[in-house]
Amino acid sequence: MFKTEKTLRPADDGFRMPAEWEHHSCCWMAWPHDEIAWRGRHAEIKEVIASLAQTISVYEPVRMLVPEQSLEEARKVCGAGIELIVQDLNDAWARDTLPSFLVGPGKNLAGTDWKFNGWGDMEYCNWDRDQHLAESLCRKLEIPCYKAPIFNEGGAVHVDGEGTVICTRNTLLNENRNSGKNEAEVAEILCRYLGAEKVIWLDEGYDQDETGGHIDVITAFAAPGKIMHLSCDDPADPNYSIFRENIRVLESSTDAMGRRLEVIRIPQPPARFEGDRRLAISYMNFYFANGAVILPVFGENTDSEVIQIFTRVFPDREIVPFKRAATIFHGGGGIHCVTQQQPAL
């Protein structure tokens, strides 16, 4: 039953956010309706989003939220097999604007609705409608909607499903999101609204990442006690010192269960620019589908090495290279940023 919970917290009711490798009932996506983020690539991104949806649909159902005025276009571009659901929205960033799905006692589903202000009111976005998407979807699904008291986006946090959250200070403690709140206060809220026990903080994310340092661009849990992080071998690259420090922190950290983390280094693809703007292209912005990993690749020499690493790390999953991911990164995000898994019950 849909209800908004403004005072109760999910953890108090026994809810937790599952790890992304746990089984999904479907993948949610949103149609790239607003041109502003795509900087002249709006027509192309529609085809790329449709292609990604079709790729994921081989492994799990895909449900696409689409504004009514774009429904006919989306139906034509997406083709058969993608369920289209009418929803007023701004853009395609489902990871950041849809609820963080939770599972609880009795195999019940709920959602955390984070406060959303367009990544700190970023220049290249409209967000007047997207700030209401999480509650709207919870209402459609008739599930409880827990209203979190901080600004956050789904791509700013990763969980292992066993009590551990990882995020960056540069995002969640930024003045443009949670001014006046300290690290301990934000950590407590994250734990209570994700059903977790411990937060591991990294200082910074990817150099020039437009989101302000989202965790899902640089690192991801691969399994309990095991985490992957980008590595950079060029001392002249700003990411060199950022990633070295992050890896140092991770290697000296334990998770909520007391396990020391095993860190797997993933090569950073060569830097790519659009004018003076560096694109935050990354292999870490992938999507766990049922039985597969949808992995962004960029036509770089590092692609084959990364595919081999992912094949070793996930021997029970098919590694599916997605070759059109760079277009999504031109808009400021990647595969993980435009997808949101709904856990199976």
Side-chain angles (χ1 to χ4, degrees):
M1 176 185 297
F2 172 80
K3 58 181 179 178
T4 59
E5 295 287 9
K6 296 183 179 180
T7 55
L8 298 178
R9 301 174 299 182
D12 299 334
D13 292 336
F15 284 95
R16 69 173 180 95
M17 182 177 175
E20 294 184 26
W21 54 77
E22 297 183 47
H23 199 70
H24 306 164
S25 65
C26 71
C27 172
W28 286 95
M29 299 180 68
W31 191 244
H33 178 62
D34 196 328
E35 295 185 23
I36 188 170
W38 303 105
R39 301 159 168 99
R41 291 180 168 82
H42 195 217
E44 180 183 1
I45 192 58
K46 295 174 186 177
E47 296 179 358
V48 172
I49 291 294
S51 176
L52 177 60
Q54 289 287 356
T55 300
I56 295 172
S57 72
V58 173
Y59 304 94
E60 63 192 41
V62 176
R63 308 179 77 182
M64 182 83 70
L65 298 173
V66 185
E68 187 170 9
Q69 61 268 42
S70 300
L71 195 58
E72 183 176 345
E73 174 190 45
R75 185 176 292 115
K76 180 179 180 181
V77 178
C78 289
I82 307 302
E83 182 181 358
L84 305 182
I85 298 169
V86 173
Q87 173 66 54
D88 194 23
L89 52 79
N90 292 113
D91 215 336
W93 307 112
R95 177 67 50 180
D96 294 342
T97 58
L98 299 188
S100 295
F101 285 109
L102 314 167
V103 295
K107 297 185 177 180
N108 287 316
L109 187 70
T112 290
D113 176 10
W114 307 103
K115 296 169 69 175
F116 181 71
N117 66 350
W119 306 275
D121 201 13
M122 191 181 71
E123 178 183 2
Y124 285 99
C125 75
N126 291 316
W127 50 274
D128 58 312
R129 295 184 290 278
D130 281 354
Q131 65 181 322
H132 305 297
L133 277 183
E135 180 176 337
S136 179
L137 183 53
C138 288
R139 189 181 297 274
K140 288 179 187 293
L141 295 173
E142 298 185 333
I143 62 174
C145 178
Y146 290 88
K147 309 286 280 188
I150 59 171
F151 289 96
N152 183 32
E153 302 94 34
V157 292
H158 267 313
V159 302
D160 67 354
E162 296 189 359
T164 312
V165 183
I166 186 168
C167 57
T168 69
R169 294 181 176 92
N170 201 43
T171 300
L172 281 161
L173 302 183
N174 199 305
E175 288 294 315
N176 64 18
R177 286 177 175 84
N178 294 306
S179 177
K181 285 189 169 58
N182 62 37
E183 183 174 306
E185 290 171 328
V186 172
E188 170 67 14
I189 293 168
L190 289 175
C191 287
R192 294 307 90 200
Y193 283 83
L194 292 170
E197 298 295 331
K198 181 175 183 177
V199 176
I200 299 173
W201 291 94
L202 303 180
D203 280 337
E204 298 183 66
Y206 201 104
D207 176 48
Q208 295 189 36
D209 175 12
E210 290 185 294
T211 67
H214 269 192
I215 199 72
D216 69 351
V217 181
I218 59 171
T219 191
F221 285 106
K226 184 181 295 186
I227 195 163
M228 300 182 290
H229 195 291
L230 283 183
S231 65
C232 175
D233 296 328
D234 180 7
D237 189 323
N239 281 332
Y240 177 81
S241 58
I242 294 172
F243 294 169
R244 279 173 62 91
E245 174 60 14
N246 286 352
I247 290 171
R248 184 196 68 78
V249 171
L250 291 173
E251 288 181 335
S252 62
S253 295
T254 56
D255 63 17
M257 304 295 287
R259 293 171 293 221
R260 186 167 294 277
L261 294 176
E262 175 189 350
V263 181
I264 302 163
R265 290 167 170 79
I266 304 296
Q268 172 188 286
R272 188 174 298 187
F273 292 84
E274 184 177 59
D276 294 333
R277 180 173 69 106
R278 181 175 187 171
L279 304 182
I281 61 171
S282 170
Y283 299 109
M284 298 313 307
N285 203 268
F286 63 87
Y287 180 74
F288 279 110
N290 291 335
V293 170
I294 314 302
L295 178 68
V297 294
F298 306 102
E300 301 285 359
N301 292 335
T302 46
D303 288 355
S304 59
E305 179 184 357
V306 171
I307 291 171
Q308 291 175 12
I309 295 173
F310 270 70
T311 300
R312 292 196 300 269
V313 173
F314 303 110
D316 298 328
R317 291 179 181 267
E318 182 178 358
I319 307 304
V320 183
F322 187 74
K323 299 179 180 180
R324 303 185 72 182
T327 302
I328 309 175
F329 283 97
H330 276 282
I335 291 174
H336 190 258
C337 304
V338 295
T339 53
Q340 180 66 274
Q341 71 282 346
Q342 179 179 323
L345 300 176

